Amino acid sequence: MSAAISPLAPKKYPKMPAIEGVRIATAEAGIKYKNRTDLLVMVFDEGTEVAGVFTRSKCPSAPVDFCRQNLSGGKARVLVVNSGNANAFTGKKGRETTAMTGKAAAEAAGARDSEVFLASTGVIGEPLDAGRFSHLLKDMVKQAAPASWTDAAKAIMTTDTFPKVATQTVKLGDADVIINGIAKGAGMIAPDMATMLSFVATDAPIAASVLQDMLSRGTAKTFNAVTVDSDTSTSDTLLLFATGTAKGAPKITDPKDPRLAQFRRALNKILKVLALQVVRDGEGARKQIEITVTGAKSARSAKRVALSIANSPLVKTAVAGEDANWGRVVMAVGKAGEPADRDLLSIWFGDNRLAHNGERDPGYSEEKTSAYMKQDEISIRADLGIGRGKATVWTCDLTKEYVAINGDYRS
Amino acid sequence: MSAAISPLAPKKYPKMPAIEGVRIATAEAGIKYKNRTDLLVMVFDEGTEVAGVFTRSKCPSAPVDFCRQNLSGGKARVLVVNSGNANAFTGKKGRETTAMTGKAAAEAAGARDSEVFLASTGVIGEPLDAGRFSHLLKDMVKQAAPASWTDAAKAIMTTDTFPKVATQTVKLGDADVIINGIAKGAGMIAPDMATMLSFVATDAPIAASVLQDMLSRGTAKTFNAVTVDSDTSTSDTLLLFATGTAKGAPKITDPKDPRLAQFRRALNKILKVLALQVVRDGEGARKQIEITVTGAKSARSAKRVALSIANSPLVKTAVAGEDANWGRVVMAVGKAGEPADRDLLSIWFGDNRLAHNGERDPGYSEEKTSAYMKQDEISIRADLGIGRGKATVWTCDLTKEYVAINGDYRS
């Protein structure tokens, strides 16, 4: 783990309100880390609805398989998350661990087995012994309290250098409803999903099918639009819980319900804030990079070109070196395999247009652009000039610290 | 440029024989570098046939456009290569530069404009002034001599830390024919093409169409199977020249001619040796990594999975850290988007089977594998267990030096 906190960490954290119907406990189970919490339990009131989005890896972790199975029921009573071991590629033992943890959690919370959700993050391929922590669940459920959201975010960190939280309060009908979210993730971050782990809860009374609709749409431009290193985790899990405890709020059962508009915007904002925090805590990151591609053949094509730029080690190292090396953006557009015409391509770093119509912009100022590159939020735009497709993705720079962190993470 | 020579550089270089019909000259044009050669001219006897393979970038350099156009003629008399500036994304000026250089070279060599081939390597997006070097061509053509292959390899280096040469002598019919090759490349290396620049010449009398057939097939398992950083250059150029001057060798005009077998093997060997030297000089590289995927649905699918592993920053940093973190290989298989079944997957590092049937191999020895990781040639195999598709690709580790080299290359 990196000792220093990312220079891109939030200057201040929001005060996280309690959400009625959600209680939180954390513990030091010593699964891998010492002298820090590594186990999180969230307990939900009866009637809590749930939706989820998961990694598209062909090698998903045992907890991802477990959650996918339980998600069909649409109901949640308890979430158990551990850090330090991903319980991924652990075969039959991995399935035994999720089954045993699930049973212990259900028993502790007085819930059905199908109302338990699990997530694990950490090293891949090491067997995770449920016996290390399942005996703690009963006490944790008892002691769980409403206001420990930041503690929750801390318990699920791995190479993260700061806890990631976000909150919004909005109207649903005439009632105020709250949405809280936490996330973890710093490396092995790429669509789809890019989050590794994120948990969002609200007291709004919204049916599971509606939650799922909003969550699936919301991830496309948030968690599925960020990349740290192009490496997709086996464990990516984003869950959204709705306790329905907000007093006076109307029950929403149709994703097209017009009363949802404000809630949907607030949810998308939470997802974006959390996803950007993951980028801003990218392993070794010192700069956030926003990449917008316009003028592509389609939005899908624009996103592919944007990710080609975002995942290029040469673009990322140039930004780390504060070098406005836009030739590498040309390279990344060229290699994307998407429709593009070299002689119509324009490139901006911030407001500085560096390239236009297939060559260096005559008005290009090296001095002005070099000054811009010293900022800690860099914005790159490429206009392909051939259509109306548009997309934005976010990444971070690639520094020596990324290599240092990942050259000896496991040992 | 990195000062230190790659630890993976060849321990000794072959003595490069002269090839009748090929004369070489180099010069210090001062295009970007000082106190070193940066300009190469190869002059070919009349009747020399030529074939080529180029980058698939949608933003190819002006010299790539120029070569593609002249290649249809199938004849070559002169090759001009400069390092220090790629003449890529240079618009109309770039085309003027290739036209002017082409004319000057044709005049100097007494050749037709269509018999000139050009290549440029270096920074993208800076205008390249032909006036800086075109006046040198006449003298260079005059002074060109047969035996300067290693000098030729040195003149085209950019961030390379050693010159890349290879030679083979084989029978064609009853005659001995020679194949010589040079290459440059260290970063911005990924299929397709992966070479940046490579030039191979032979005295064998082989028709352009046959050369093209052999070259296109030969690159698939050599230059198009290596990656340093997943970034594809705008300038990749591989040209194969045949002077036809070998005494007593039969003229080959059919790619299916059985007399070609030995020549084809030797050519493929040259391409592979040069491609591996590019990997072994990968920016910051300290280890070569060979990745073989077996048991895939098809050869094409196997290659995609192999490249997913080879381009994963987390796999590459783990190898740099001498950490047998095979969980990251699981991740890279999972994210490749190709058919795979987690529970049938097996993984080897060298002879050590680490994972089998979806979990850690019971016989796994951390100690033995850690000892293996200290070697400077690491071999990783993943068997997907679902088919008979197979592919091998090569890459290098990702070290802090890669970041250092690319964080301030342009300035």
Side-chain angles (χ1 to χ4, degrees), chain A residues 146-329:
Chain A
S148 315
W149 284 88
T150 305
D151 290 341
K154 284 180 185 163
I156 63 174
M157 286 162 62
T158 53
T159 54
D160 304 63
T161 72
F162 61 85
K164 296 162 187 71
V165 298
T167 184
Q168 292 276 312
T169 300
V170 288
K171 289 280 181 209
L172 183 64
D174 294 328
D176 278 332
V177 300
I178 302 168
I179 316 174
N180 279 358
I182 62 171
K184 66 83 46 180
M188 208 180 274
I189 298 289
D192 309 281
M193 286 283 300
T195 168
M196 300 201 69
L197 303 184
S198 180
F199 309 103
V200 181
T202 178
D203 53 358
I206 303 179
S209 60
V210 181
L211 296 176
Q212 188 64 52
D213 180 79
M214 286 193 295
L215 196 63
S216 299
R217 289 172 195 272
T219 48
K221 292 191 173 186
T222 58
F223 279 117
N224 280 347
V226 298
T227 177
V228 166
D229 51 14
S230 79
D231 277 345
T232 305
S233 163
T234 55
S235 309
D236 297 328
T237 298
L238 165 61
L239 294 170
L240 170 61
F241 303 94
T243 63
T245 49
K247 287 183 187 63
K251 173 87 184 169
I252 307 290
T253 55
D254 177 3
K256 296 203 178 83
D257 193 317
R259 291 172 296 183
L260 263 185
Q262 210 182 335
F263 184 92
R264 190 192 295 272
R265 272 198 302 275
L267 174 64
N268 287 345
K269 189 159 179 195
I270 294 247
L271 297 179
K272 185 169 169 186
V273 166
L274 291 174
L276 284 187
Q277 285 190 64
V278 169
V279 161
R280 295 174 73 84
D281 203 12
E283 287 167 344
R286 284 178 311 206
K287 291 180 194 288
Q288 175 186 305
I289 314 173
E290 177 177 278
I291 293 157
T292 300
V293 170
T294 54
K297 206 174 170 189
S298 66
R300 191 190 171 87
S301 179
K303 191 164 179 185
R304 285 199 182 140
V305 175
L307 284 171
S308 176
I309 300 169
N311 283 325
S312 160
L314 289 172
V315 171
K316 294 157 78 86
T317 48
V319 173
E322 303 189 336
D323 175 10
N325 196 327
W326 56 272
R328 295 180 181 174
V329 178

Side-chain angles (χ1 to χ4, degrees), chain B residues 257-277:
Chain B
D257 193 318
R259 291 172 296 183
L260 262 184
Q262 210 184 332
F263 184 91
R264 188 191 297 272
R265 272 199 302 277
L267 174 65
N268 288 343
K269 191 161 179 194
I270 294 249
L271 298 178
K272 185 169 169 185
V273 166
L274 291 174
L276 284 186
Q277 285 190 63

Side-chain angles (χ1 to χ4, degrees), chain B residues 169-178 202-204 245-249 262:
Chain B
T169 301
V170 289
K171 288 280 181 208
L172 183 65
D174 294 328
D176 278 333
V177 300
I178 303 169
T202 178
D203 53 357
T245 49
K247 285 182 188 64
Q262 210 184 332

Side-chain angles (χ1 to χ4, degrees), chain A residues 58 60 65 89 91 93 229-232 312-314 317 321 323 328 331 334-335 342 358-359 366 406-407 410, chain B residues 58 60 65 91 93 229-232 312-314 317 321 323 326 328 331 334-335 342 358-359 366 406-407 410:
Chain A
K58 291 280 169 54
D65 280 354
F89 210 75
K93 283 180 222 80
D229 51 14
S230 79
D231 277 345
T232 305
S312 160
L314 289 172
T317 48
D323 175 10
R328 295 180 181 174
M331 176 280 299
K335 77 165 178 167
R342 176 191 62 196
E359 58 188 309
E366 178 86 25
N406 287 299
R410 201 181 60 130
Chain B
K58 292 281 167 56
D65 281 355
K93 284 182 221 77
D229 51 13
S230 79
D231 278 344
T232 305
S312 159
L314 289 171
T317 49
D323 176 10
W326 56 273
R328 295 180 180 175
M331 175 281 298
K335 78 165 177 166
R342 175 190 62 196
E359 58 188 308
E366 178 87 25
N406 287 298
R410 203 182 57 132

Side-chain angles (χ1 to χ4, degrees), chain A residues 80-99:
Chain A
V80 181
V81 189
N82 74 275
S83 55
N85 185 316
N87 192 16
F89 210 75
T90 42
K92 190 164 159 265
K93 283 180 222 80
R95 290 187 287 275
E96 285 167 6
T97 296
T98 52

